[in-house]
Amino acid sequence: MYTAHPDRYADMPYRRTGRSGLKLPALSLGLWHNFGPDRPAETQRAILRRAFDLGVTHFDLANNYGPPPGAAESVLGEALKADFARYRDELVISTKAGYLMWPGPYGEWGSRKSLLSSLDQSLSRMGLDHVDIFYSHRFDPDTPLEETMGALHTAVQQGKALYVGVSNYSAEQTREAARILGELGTPLLINQPRYSMLDRRPEDEGLMDALDELQVGSIAYSPLEQGLLTSRYLDGIPEDSRAASDSPFLDTDALTEELVGRLRALADIASARGQSLAQMALSWVLRGGRLTSALVGASSPRQLEDSVAATRNLDFSDEELARIDAIVKQ
């Protein structure tokens, strides 16, 4: 029987999410990749156990995570039953709905029917009566935002979610979502945007400013840019890498000589800080405390340990930040 490490809360920083009472670990575990039937079950459970032992109390999912869609939630459901049942109240479990999950007109986007049906399916796969955070995974241009936010509000009213969030919403969309939810009496807890040293749209397009003004939390996905901000591609494209596979999220065309040169320059800065490039990339998105948490994936417990080590050095000098900006923006 799994017993959690007694010192699991000793080192991980926890940050308050917006103006709520909920604190999230600086690093959260995303189950987007690496959790499904194509991976060894014991490896997946070992990653989840190690995460919790290191103070990573937040497991982030979506209805379509896998592959195949739904697999990640099923894997977590088995782990919850086998290892984490007595620790459920120490965990924050989130899921989302909005991307394609099942055939037909109700299997994606942001209608009331789609969101609430998806949530019921997610709860069944995970063996839970509620999730801690339920997200609208993407803005639906063809459904009134009042309907989408009303569905999130209903999930809370039904006791199937404690908090609600949005993901991939612009600054303007987030402001309107927060307004609608506020009028309904269910505050918007958090926004989950894509954000990294190489992708600064949340800063450039005003989303971070909007979240500050609204006092809404933020959690970044893809802070390592699908592996670009690691040492993996500094000396070519490994055969077992995502760039060498048929993944739609990263291809070889993205790895130009110019980009690799910039990645090597960033790796030099990281080395001078006593960090790997991946660790520095995580520290960068968490710098200054503006972001609530950053999502990391892991294919092994060791990889997760390496990511968590980034939280030991979250401070940057002005010179370091200027050098990073000069490299990224050149």
Side-chain angles (χ1 to χ4, degrees):
M1 176 184 292
Y2 165 70
T3 299
H5 196 286
D7 296 329
R8 57 190 175 277
Y9 297 114
D11 298 319
M12 174 63 67
Y14 296 87
R15 296 178 172 182
R16 189 170 301 280
T17 312
R19 60 180 176 179
S20 78
L22 183 69
K23 291 183 178 181
L24 292 180
L27 287 183
S28 299
L29 180 63
L31 278 70
W32 182 14
H33 300 294
N34 304 316
F35 287 85
D38 60 336
R39 307 281 178 150
E42 277 306 308
T43 299
Q44 296 171 79
R45 285 180 63 185
I47 293 169
L48 292 168
R49 292 170 183 160
R50 189 61 182 138
F52 190 53
D53 283 345
L54 292 170
V56 179
T57 53
H58 178 207
F59 298 157
D60 179 81
L61 301 100
N63 56 356
N64 64 337
Y65 285 0
E73 289 179 331
S74 296
V75 167
L76 182 62
E78 290 298 316
L80 290 172
K81 182 168 58 177
D83 296 328
F84 297 103
R86 58 180 168 153
Y87 302 113
R88 171 63 183 98
D89 291 336
E90 296 183 46
L91 293 170
V92 173
I93 297 172
S94 60
T95 196
K96 315 175 195 72
Y99 283 97
L100 183 62
M101 180 59 191
W102 64 86
Y106 318 119
E108 62 179 328
W109 295 109
S111 72
R112 181 178 183 84
K113 178 173 177 59
S114 178
L115 292 178
L116 294 178
S117 297
S118 179
L119 178 56
D120 284 343
Q121 292 178 21
S122 292
L123 292 174
S124 177
R125 281 188 290 270
M126 292 186 285
L128 297 174
D129 59 5
H130 74 277
V131 291
D132 298 283
I133 308 171
F134 181 48
Y135 287 87
S136 168
H137 205 166
R138 59 173 168 170
F139 178 79
D140 183 348
D142 296 321
T143 297
L145 193 55
E146 289 82 1
E147 179 175 342
T148 302
M149 294 303 105
L152 297 185
H153 171 67
T154 295
V156 173
Q157 294 299 105
Q158 291 177 340
K160 296 177 181 178
L162 300 184
Y163 303 92
V164 297
V166 296
S167 181
N168 301 301
Y169 275 52
S170 70
E172 180 181 354
Q173 293 160 355
T174 300
R175 290 182 191 277
E176 185 63 6
R179 182 192 67 78
I180 295 168
L181 285 168
E183 291 178 355
L184 292 171
T186 297
L188 178 62
L189 175 79
I190 195 167
N191 186 310
Q192 186 176 131
R194 181 168 182 154
Y195 179 52
S196 73
M197 284 195 295
L198 299 181
D199 188 345
R200 305 191 181 192
R201 285 174 292 177
E203 291 179 358
D204 298 339
E205 297 175 1
L207 177 61
M208 298 299 285
D209 289 338
L211 297 179
D212 289 343
E213 294 167 16
L214 296 167
Q215 294 183 280
V216 168
S218 53
I219 179 168
Y221 74 88
S222 294
L224 302 181
E225 281 297 309
Q226 297 296 311
L228 283 180
L229 289 169
T230 70
S231 60
R232 198 150 174 75
Y233 301 107
L234 298 181
D235 298 303
I237 302 176
E239 292 184 0
D240 62 344
S241 68
R242 188 168 296 160
S245 72
D246 59 358
S247 170
F249 303 107
L250 183 63
D251 60 52
T252 54
D253 292 339
L255 285 163
T256 63
E257 290 185 13
E258 186 269 340
L259 175 58
V260 172
R262 286 193 287 158
L263 294 177
R264 288 172 178 160
L266 291 171
D268 289 341
I269 298 174
S271 179
R273 287 171 50 83
Q275 292 182 311
S276 66
L277 175 56
Q279 289 169 341
M280 186 179 76
L282 294 172
S283 296
W284 186 90
V285 297
L286 292 168
R287 73 197 187 287
R290 196 177 191 189
L291 196 78
T292 311
S293 184
L295 282 165
V296 295
S299 58
S300 68
R302 178 59 186 271
Q303 187 179 48
L304 181 66
E305 291 166 0
D306 185 73
S307 294
V308 170
T311 63
R312 299 172 192 156
N313 184 9
L314 300 180
D315 296 324
F316 287 80
S317 68
D318 291 342
E319 180 185 359
E320 286 174 328
L321 292 174
R323 289 176 63 198
I324 290 170
D325 286 350
I327 293 167
V328 169
K329 297 179 179 181
Q330 66 185 11

